[in-house]
Amino acid sequence: MSANELILHHFDASPFAEKVRVALGIKGVHWHSVEIPMVMPKPDLVALTGGYRKTPVMQIGADIYCDTARIAREIDQRFPGTPLFPAGKGAICEALAAWSDLTLFQPGAGLSMGTNLELPEDILSDRFAFFDFLDREKLPSQLPELFARFRSGLQRIEDMLQESSFVLGESVSWADAACYAPVWMCRGNIVGADELLQNLPALCQWERRMTALGHGTSDTLSAAQSHAVARSAKSVAVAELADDRLPRLPLNQGVLVTPEDYGAVPVSGELLRLTQHDIAVCRSDDSAGEVVVHFPRAGYRVEAV
Ligand SMILES: N[C@@H](CCC(=O)N[C@@H](CS)C(=O)NCC(=O)O)C(=O)O
């Protein structure tokens, strides 16, 4: 296996992973799948990331990409074919993805956990501790409001599809993958999905088009094999500190990078990139070797240690 092949660390039921699997389908990429545990601890994953535990994480050689926003940009840059971010529409794709994560994923996560009464306790206790936007005690009484919020988000997708086959026009883009993931989550995880998805004819036709895109092709890899790939590769990341960066940190500064929303575990490393679009730090691990861990700029805090 060569160092520039794509490895996705994920589990089947993850809607954020589904967003990326659909993007791989749009591109028609062959990739390697490492299945990660659904709950902590995830020692093999955090050996690569330095502490980031969310799903999914993408690895190419010794470069580790955290967050679907950063992963999508890297896939688009590395692989030819249909652009995930069509010319002039990159920012609107990102804005729609952020909208979908907040407006659909968050109530969708509450509905998945609040309506799926047979979910195992280890998953429930892990997720209630992780998703600080959910309150286990209050969830049962909040379900009607969450149904209403989720349904109104679905209606926005229906509205976007009135004049076109995809949310931004006649070509599929990252915005579609991002809006599709919560619909997929709804079908698979929310009891009452049929009711939520009724009277949304354009959305249901688009859903069929999205499902038909598939996930590209994949084979499985063990976590140990993915560490061996990281150890024997060299990062291709290029150092860049933008003049307009904030905070004004120097190259190689020891930093902590922390998600600003839930699951706020910091990753520490030496600063390699800080631009208006991305952050990257170098770190080393006994099993994974020297790696560069990448994040999107939006939604992450960077601070000197
Ligand atoms: N902002 C992140 C959010 C990812 C996220 O919240 N993923 C969920 C799974 S769908 C998660 O990490 N759950 C806890 C876990 O997998 O440990 C992204 O876009 O990748």
Side-chain angles (χ1 to χ4, degrees), residues 11 14-16 19 38 42 52-56 67-69 101 105 127 130-131 262:
F11 55 84
S14 160
F16 280 90
K19 241 199 252 189
M38 275 185 79
K42 308 186 185 191
Y52 182 89
R53 62 151 292 185
K54 295 185 189 178
T55 309
D67 199 291
T68 51
D101 291 355
F105 175 73
R127 290 303 188 273
F130 173 74
F131 291 134
Y262 53 88

Side-chain angles (χ1 to χ4, degrees), residues 15 19 34 54 67-69 85 127 142 146 176-177 206 227 241 273 278 290:
K19 241 199 252 189
V34 176
K54 295 185 189 178
D67 199 291
T68 51
F85 298 92
R127 290 303 188 273
Q142 290 171 338
L146 294 178
D176 293 283
W206 162 84
H227 287 192
L241 298 181
R273 293 183 58 81
D278 71 312
E290 304 283 320

Side-chain angles (χ1 to χ4, degrees), residues 128-175:
F128 279 113
F130 173 74
F131 291 134
D132 56 13
F133 53 88
L134 293 180
D135 181 325
R136 190 167 190 171
E137 307 272 281
K138 295 194 185 134
L139 185 59
S141 66
Q142 290 171 338
L143 289 177
E145 167 60 17
L146 294 178
F147 270 110
R149 274 169 57 195
F150 195 84
R151 180 63 178 73
S152 101
L154 293 176
Q155 184 63 50
R156 297 291 173 285
I157 300 177
E158 173 76 12
D159 295 349
M160 286 188 260
L161 293 164
Q162 289 309 300
E163 309 282 328
S164 58
S165 307
F166 295 101
V167 298
L168 293 181
E170 288 312 310
S171 315
V172 70
S173 71
W174 176 242

Side-chain angles (χ1 to χ4, degrees), residues 4-295:
N4 57 7
E5 292 177 33
L6 191 155
I7 303 172
L8 191 66
H9 299 259
H10 67 136
F11 55 84
D12 287 350
S14 160
F16 280 90
E18 180 65 9
K19 241 199 252 189
V20 172
R21 293 185 296 246
V22 168
L24 296 170
I26 294 171
K27 287 285 188 188
V29 170
H30 181 75
W31 50 284
H32 307 280
S33 168
V34 176
E35 188 173 345
I36 61 172
M38 275 185 79
V39 295
M40 291 298 272
K42 308 186 185 191
D44 295 325
L45 182 72
V46 299
L48 293 164
T49 64
Y52 182 89
R53 62 151 292 185
K54 295 185 189 178
T55 309
V57 166
M58 181 175 86
Q59 173 189 355
I60 300 182
D63 286 288
I64 312 298
Y65 300 92
C66 298
D67 199 291
T68 51
R70 182 68 189 84
I71 291 172
R73 283 287 184 182
E74 194 63 27
I75 292 174
D76 210 28
Q77 202 189 314
R78 291 206 192 217
F79 297 94
T82 308
L84 297 177
F85 298 92
K89 292 190 175 165
I92 191 75
C93 283
E94 285 175 341
L96 270 174
W99 168 81
S100 169
D101 291 355
L102 195 66
T103 313
L104 284 153
F105 175 73
Q106 294 201 5
L111 290 170
S112 301
M113 297 207 300
T115 64
N116 243 313
L117 298 176
E118 70 282 5
L119 275 178
E121 179 54 34
D122 63 333
I123 295 186
L124 289 172
S125 46
D126 180 274
R127 290 303 188 273
F128 279 113
F130 173 74
F131 291 134
D132 56 13
F133 53 88
L134 293 180
D135 181 325
R136 190 167 190 171
E137 307 272 281
K138 295 194 185 134
L139 185 59
S141 66
Q142 290 171 338
L143 289 177
E145 167 60 17
L146 294 178
F147 270 110
R149 274 169 57 195
F150 195 84
R151 180 63 178 73
S152 101
L154 293 176
Q155 184 63 50
R156 297 291 173 285
I157 300 177
E158 173 76 12
D159 295 349
M160 286 188 260
L161 293 164
Q162 289 309 300
E163 309 282 328
S164 58
S165 307
F166 295 101
V167 298
L168 293 181
E170 288 312 310
S171 315
V172 70
S173 71
W174 176 242
D176 293 283
C179 290
Y180 169 74
V183 174
W184 176 88
M185 168 170 78
C186 177
R187 291 262 186 232
N189 299 326
I190 299 177
V191 177
D194 287 348
E195 202 182 327
L196 276 168
L197 289 160
Q198 73 188 359
N199 301 325
L200 298 168
L203 183 149
C204 290
Q205 279 176 23
W206 162 84
E207 183 191 7
R208 285 192 282 280
R209 285 193 285 278
M210 294 304 296
T211 311
L213 293 166
H215 293 153
T217 55
S218 63
D219 52 33
T220 56
L221 205 66
S222 69
Q225 285 171 309
S226 75
H227 287 192
V229 169
R231 258 194 329 270
S232 60
K234 203 171 156 4
S235 164
V236 298
V238 176
E240 181 182 351
L241 298 181
D243 292 341
D244 61 355
R245 71 188 179 280
L246 287 175
R248 298 203 58 77
L249 299 168
L251 195 66
N252 300 324
Q253 166 76 50
V255 292
L256 292 179
V257 183
T258 315
E260 281 171 330
D261 54 6
Y262 53 88
V265 181
V267 171
S268 73
E270 290 174 7
L271 191 63
L272 182 73
R273 293 183 58 81
L274 181 55
T275 74
Q276 294 298 338
H277 295 100
D278 71 312
I279 305 165
V281 299
C282 304
R283 54 175 300 276
S284 102
D285 176 85
D286 289 347
S287 177
E290 304 283 320
V291 294
V292 173
V293 189
H294 300 257
F295 305 88

